[in-house]
Amino acid sequence: MNVSTPSGTSYAARATELVVRCDQDAWGSVSPSLYETARVLSEAPWLPGEPRRIAYLLDQQAPEGSWGEGPLPYRLLPTLSGVEAALAVLSRGTASAEVTGRLTTAVGKGLDALRSMPPVDRWPDTAAAEILVPSLVARINEKLDSAATGGDLPGFSCAQLPVPDGFHVSTPARVAKRYESTGSLPVKFHHTFEGIHSYIPPSLVPDVEGLLGSSPAATAARAARSPATTARAVADLTAVARRYDGLFPEAAPLRVVERLWAAAALARAHLPAAARPTVRRWAEEIYDPQGVRGAPGLMTDADDTSMAVLVASLVGLPFGPAPLDLFHNGSHYDCYIGEDTGSVTANAHALQALVSHLRRRPTAEHTYGPRAAKLSDWLAGRQQPEGHWTDKWHASPYYATARSVTALAQHGGHHASRAVRKAAAWAVGTQRADGSWGVWGGTVEETAYAVKVLLSAATPTPQPQHTRALDLAETYLHAASDPGHRHPALWHDKTLYAPTAVIEAEVLAARELLRARRPAACTETDVERTDA
């Protein structure tokens, strides 16, 4: 993250520059995905740029043989994807002798890593893992069988790879069979279509324009299953590869998420006047009475819809929360129709949107006041005994806790206030010695979230332990202002990813909030505060 803009540069200038960058980027600033890139490499030999993807695959393998980021449970799916892609390239027989040797070694190390992976009590709640994992295991075993009988791929054990405990080999086929009789595949399976494409009849292959489910992997898999779509896939995938240096993120374009999340983060400190027209235009373009989707080809969902309602409210647009009604289930909001596991942060965003709307439209209290109160109680009830929250869209409890605390503090009430105090105590107790916070190690992103937890719990008389924690955090964030800083991937999709511009906005806002809490801090004149 480029948080190291010269110290003489104002927050307003840095925030405005970030908004301009987001506005000029049609795709979104997000880290490439090993999983996704390997899927395209495997399924799309006809796509230009294969040498770049092979080099990336080889360069990204860890010394012990795995691929991916985060702890080992998060590395399962990327490692399966990497092994299967390397096997696919080897089976084509088109690589040079040198590359063939390196791929063979990579397969052997990858298989060893998978076979030695320790048991896991609970796998990460990433998108469609229950389908993607057994599907890839089956594909790897098919290629290992071919290698064992044909002798074309020497240098590694061709013993069958077991499906890890917690996953079931029959799941992809069972899901495909469930919809075969209906004649159509629900949109929620488009984003992860590569997990079931070989199990479905041609009649279920979706025929839609653009990237299927916003996913390069799904798009390549559709072309493999339906060659008539290959020409379109080449054009669509080439455009994505051009933006991401020949590689692929797990969703593209990500501009809706990037713009909404970045705008809301900056507004938490204050949205510069120079940036407001752009953010207002974003809100006008993104808000949809029928619900908002995070990217073309995805389902409408409560999370993106909530953020669109919130940002529209923050810039004074007369758009209400009615689009959220579609997702309300009586006590809280389902993230999307047919959701299997609920989302704390989507509901925290919904509560923020309701509170912001009610502050600007008090006449809506009769309609949305009781709903906000019930949602506040639901959210407080999801707090863990230690004081934090967790969520399926992010690996870190600091993200879910910051979202929940912000919403509860804005809504107020006895239960909400008690939950906020408990969360603040948890944050103080989990700060690292260097002033940072982090689930696997200190990061500037998670430190920014923890700062917002403590600031949301601020009282008229500052608590000494909170002040000390914030002072340490401010020192840490200042020292971490390295222009070459690379953010660890903590966000959940099929695997972990890092939306760089969103993280920049979160950290930038946290640093400004820390600066502004000091009595001597001068107020910039070209900004307007919000209640984000």
Side-chain angles (χ1 to χ4, degrees), residues 256-269:
V256 168
V257 172
E258 178 174 275
R259 293 174 180 185
L260 292 176
W261 266 249
L266 295 174
R268 174 70 188 272

Side-chain angles (χ1 to χ4, degrees), residues 58 86 90 99-109 153-156:
L58 293 170
L90 286 170
V99 171
T100 295
R102 294 183 66 193
L103 287 169
T104 300
T105 300
V107 168
K109 291 172 63 178
L153 303 175
F156 47 81

Side-chain angles (χ1 to χ4, degrees), residues 6 29 74 180 205 274 331 375 390 406 408 418 465 516:
S29 178
Y74 281 97
E180 186 173 349
V205 176
S331 62
L375 184 56
T390 59
T406 298
L408 290 170
R418 184 172 58 187
Q465 64 270 34

Side-chain angles (χ1 to χ4, degrees), residues 132-348:
L132 299 177
V133 167
S135 174
L136 277 172
V137 170
R139 290 172 67 93
I140 288 171
N141 285 335
E142 287 173 5
K143 290 180 172 61
L144 292 177
D145 277 344
S146 176
T149 57
D152 296 330
L153 303 175
F156 47 81
S157 170
C158 292
Q160 292 286 282
L161 189 68
V163 175
D165 289 343
F167 298 99
H168 303 282
V169 66
S170 62
T171 299
R174 188 171 66 250
V175 170
K177 187 173 182 59
R178 182 189 311 162
Y179 297 104
E180 186 173 349
S181 62
T182 68
S184 64
L185 189 69
V187 175
K188 77 172 188 174
F189 291 108
H190 289 189
H191 184 59
T192 54
F193 180 72
E194 69 272 18
I196 58 173
H197 78 290
S198 60
Y199 299 87
I200 63 173
S203 61
L204 287 187
V205 176
D207 184 14
V208 296
E209 294 296 323
L211 293 174
L212 179 61
S214 80
S215 165
T219 303
R222 179 181 61 178
R225 192 72 177 84
S226 177
T229 67
T230 300
R232 279 186 288 159
V234 169
D236 294 331
L237 292 172
T238 298
V240 181
R242 188 179 301 118
R243 167 61 179 83
Y244 297 102
D245 190 26
L247 309 176
F248 297 93
E250 288 176 18
L254 202 68
R255 62 176 178 268
V256 168
V257 172
E258 178 174 275
R259 293 174 180 185
L260 292 176
W261 266 249
L266 295 174
R268 174 70 188 272
H270 36 69
L271 192 61
R276 284 182 67 85
T278 300
V279 173
R280 185 181 177 91
R281 172 169 51 78
W282 291 350
E284 290 174 332
E285 292 171 352
I286 294 172
Y287 181 93
D288 190 327
Q290 304 302 315
V292 175
R293 61 192 81 237
L298 296 180
M299 300 177 68
T300 57
D301 67 89
D303 206 8
D304 291 287
T305 301
S306 294
M307 292 296 276
V309 172
L310 173 62
V311 172
S313 177
L314 295 177
V315 295
L317 290 172
F319 301 157
L324 281 170
D325 293 350
L326 175 66
F327 308 100
H328 197 255
N329 62 23
S331 62
H332 63 284
Y333 292 91
D334 292 327
C335 205
Y336 54 86
I337 306 302
E339 182 180 37
D340 296 320
T341 55
S343 168
V344 162
T345 59
N347 280 279

Side-chain angles (χ1 to χ4, degrees), residues 364-413:
E365 174 66 30
H366 177 74
T367 303
Y368 292 108
R371 184 172 293 186
K374 185 177 289 188
L375 184 56
S376 177
D377 288 343
W378 181 89
L379 192 59
R382 296 304 178 276
Q383 189 174 30
Q384 299 297 311
E386 298 84 358
H388 64 279
W389 283 262
T390 59
D391 190 59
K392 67 179 181 179
W393 297 124
H394 205 285
S396 174
Y398 295 99
Y399 174 78
T401 302
R403 274 5 199 202
S404 299
V405 164
T406 298
L408 290 170
Q410 290 175 2
H411 182 266

